Amino acid sequence: MKTKPRVVVGLSGGVDSSVAAKLLIDQGYEVIGMFMKNWHDESVTISNECPWMEDSTDAMLVAEKLGIPFQAIDLSEEYRERIVDYMFAEYEAGRTPNPDILCNREIKFDIFLKAAQKLKADFVATGHYCQKREIEVDGKTVYQLIAGADPNKDQSYFLCQLSQDQLAKALFPIGHLQKPQVREIAKEADLITAEKKDSQGLCFIGKVRLPDFLQQQLKPKKGKIIQIPENLPVFDRLKIPAGIEPQDWDQDTLDAVCLPIHYTADQGKVLGEHNGAHYFTVGQRKGLQVGGTGKPLFVISTDTRENVIYTGLGEEHPGLNRFGLFVKKDQVHWIREDLALEHGASAEYIARIRYRQPLSKATLIMRENGLYVIFENAQKGIASGQFVAWYQGEECIGSGTIF
């Protein structure tokens, strides 16, 4: 008979997952370490470093030190299908994907979880800086996804697509700690990863340059960079109606404020050339290589079909700052299903559209076609394909892919 609950920890070869494993052992769990190999292609990593081999070795040494069983699992095929192909398709369509969020939903808490369950595991654990709590709603256990205690490291945004079933099986052993405390625990336990730098690359490839990675699949093609003036009549529609609460706006106003603007080449002037609209994203200012504009130039829209990049001058350009966004009905995800908005209902939350962005007050309005999110303050660089996540205090309530 199995007495202790069994946990499979995703050992990444970093300090966070190493300490997660150590804490679970201290708490009396039966712990198994598992390293996920998600990527084979070394041609796009920086210099001749081979990150996954180094990480795999570190993960194995940590498991050895902690005296737990260890195995590596090759998920590169599923990874290519679910994450890499998705990324290429999104960039090609002129959208901005978030592979880290997808990686958690599709790989760590799906394929990896299933692999762990084959080992008769009760839970999977990761080194994410977030927390899980349980409450009871109408006699049913409901799992809450709570921000990590370290405000500089909170990773709840990356987990905003998890379901109740996935959260039920998840443990986040370091979520209540600050990063320096995690390093201290690793040092005291004499773990090889104690001083190891945090990884900076894409979640799955390690040390990789995104443009190099994209160029593998998306070939360069020359196109125009067009500057859109800030007095374009279409920007008038973005203005917030005075004295009317967002939930009382009519459908036309909601659409005007929340749906992306489609620009045409005749609305602005040609500033230069680029190597492919699919390499750029809304809000980007680096890599345009256009000089002499005085103020910095920002990408405000990309058209991958016509291969045109639309830009605006300065941080205050109306095309760069929007008050609203829209999430199609089938893209709306509620972690807290008990709080899901019915058609016609609205609610006040705080929300963000990217990792580490400060949370901003927002009104969520559910209509037949999907969810409208209206921010109290304009948000810079809202891009199709990104995820918006909404919170009540420290709890992540739900998320959705921006249209």
Side-chain angles (χ1 to χ4, degrees):
M1 275 287 288
K2 191 173 67 164
T3 48
K4 294 178 180 178
R6 181 178 289 176
V7 188
V8 172
V9 181
L11 283 180
S12 66
V15 67
D16 298 330
S17 60
S18 306
V19 171
K22 158 92 173 77
L23 294 176
L24 289 167
I25 295 166
D26 294 349
Q27 287 161 26
Y29 288 95
E30 181 198 341
V31 179
I32 297 169
M34 198 184 269
F35 177 81
M36 283 175 269
K37 184 182 177 187
N38 294 328
W39 191 246
H40 282 301
D41 188 346
E42 259 72 71
S43 67
V44 287
T45 52
I46 295 170
S47 72
N48 57 0
E49 296 175 65
C50 186
W52 74 262
M53 281 184 75
E54 182 193 317
D55 290 341
S56 170
T57 305
D58 288 347
M60 186 174 67
L61 291 169
V62 165
E64 213 171 276
K65 181 81 184 171
L66 295 173
I68 58 172
F70 174 78
Q71 66 182 71
I73 180 172
D74 189 338
L75 300 179
S76 49
E77 202 175 311
E78 295 90 337
Y79 222 98
R80 180 177 285 283
E81 278 172 24
R82 294 205 194 185
I83 310 298
V84 180
D85 291 351
Y86 147 82
M87 271 185 68
F88 283 134
E90 286 287 273
Y91 276 112
E92 203 163 15
R95 294 159 61 82
T96 304
N98 190 314
D100 295 286
I101 290 176
L102 260 281
C103 172
N104 287 316
R105 186 184 82 189
E106 300 285 329
I107 305 292
K108 289 179 186 161
F109 296 94
D110 185 11
I111 294 168
F112 180 72
L113 172 60
K114 284 170 184 154
Q117 286 172 326
K118 281 185 187 154
L119 298 174
K120 307 265 188 293
D122 301 289
F123 299 101
V124 292
T126 61
H128 281 107
Y129 285 86
C130 65
Q131 303 174 81
K132 174 177 119 175
R133 291 185 195 145
E134 284 176 33
I135 54 170
E136 208 169 280
V137 179
D138 299 330
K140 244 179 75 177
T141 301
V142 171
Y143 298 98
Q144 296 177 292
L145 178 65
I146 307 290
D150 186 336
N152 296 313
K153 297 295 292 180
D154 166 38
Q155 290 173 313
S156 56
Y157 175 74
F158 290 137
L159 298 159
C160 67
Q161 283 275 297
L162 295 194
S163 66
Q164 282 292 309
D165 289 346
Q166 288 172 312
L167 273 177
K169 300 284 182 200
L171 295 176
F172 307 112
I174 64 165
H176 64 293
L177 298 171
Q178 306 288 315
K179 182 74 182 205
Q181 292 175 293
V182 170
R183 290 217 182 266
E184 198 51 48
I185 293 167
K187 216 177 283 180
E188 280 169 20
D190 195 24
L191 300 178
I192 191 168
T193 52
E195 303 288 345
K196 193 171 174 181
K197 272 194 191 147
D198 291 349
S199 64
Q200 288 303 322
L202 293 176
C203 71
F204 55 103
I205 313 176
K207 308 168 179 77
V208 70
R209 295 184 199 281
L210 186 59
D212 297 352
F213 183 64
L214 291 174
Q215 274 167 14
Q216 275 202 317
Q217 194 111 348
L218 308 175
K219 296 290 168 252
K221 49 180 179 182
K222 292 247 181 267
K224 290 173 181 164
I225 298 174
I226 289 177
Q227 182 191 338
I228 295 290
E230 52 192 68
N231 58 357
L232 211 62
V234 71
F235 293 136
D236 292 341
R237 75 170 221 202
L238 297 178
K239 295 193 174 117
I240 298 291
I244 308 171
E245 291 299 316
Q247 53 268 37
D248 299 325
W249 293 358
D250 60 31
Q251 192 63 46
D252 287 347
T253 307
L254 278 175
D255 287 343
V257 171
C258 297
L259 297 183
I261 293 172
H262 294 288
Y263 300 97
T264 54
D266 57 7
Q267 290 173 313
K269 63 175 183 184
V270 178
L271 283 187
E273 271 192 337
H274 60 78
N275 283 325
H278 43 255
Y279 300 142
F280 291 84
T281 181
V282 172
Q284 186 173 333
R285 59 176 284 195
K286 288 185 176 146
L288 285 166
Q289 291 164 331
V290 174
T293 54
K295 291 181 187 172
L297 203 62
F298 290 89
V299 176
I300 59 170
S301 180
T302 62
D303 182 341
T304 52
R305 196 168 286 168
E306 298 293 327
N307 197 30
V308 176
I309 291 174
Y310 294 100
T311 60
L313 210 52
E315 294 197 39
E316 301 308 314
H317 193 281
L320 186 64
N321 300 284
R322 281 170 50 197
F323 280 95
L325 59 86
F326 175 65
V327 178
K328 277 179 163 175
K329 195 174 189 174
D330 64 350
Q331 295 292 316
V332 179
H333 171 73
W334 295 92
I335 298 173
R336 288 289 303 275
E337 292 157 7
D338 56 308
L339 296 178
L341 288 178
E342 298 294 323
H343 168 52
S346 64
E348 302 279 328
Y349 285 111
I350 44 177
R352 57 165 60 108
I353 55 165
R354 56 180 73 87
Y355 175 52
R356 284 181 185 258
Q357 183 195 34
L359 287 155
S360 305
K361 273 191 189 171
T363 304
L364 273 60
I365 300 161
M366 198 61 167
R367 291 284 165 97
E368 211 164 311
N369 54 340
L371 184 72
Y372 292 86
V373 180
I374 292 109
F375 289 92
E376 190 174 72
N377 301 308
Q379 302 294 300
K380 185 179 290 177
I382 293 175
S384 295
Q386 282 175 321
F387 287 87
V388 56
W390 49 94
Y391 291 72
Q392 203 164 39
E394 291 183 314
E395 182 184 0
C396 186
I397 303 297
S399 64
T401 315
I402 299 171
F403 175 71

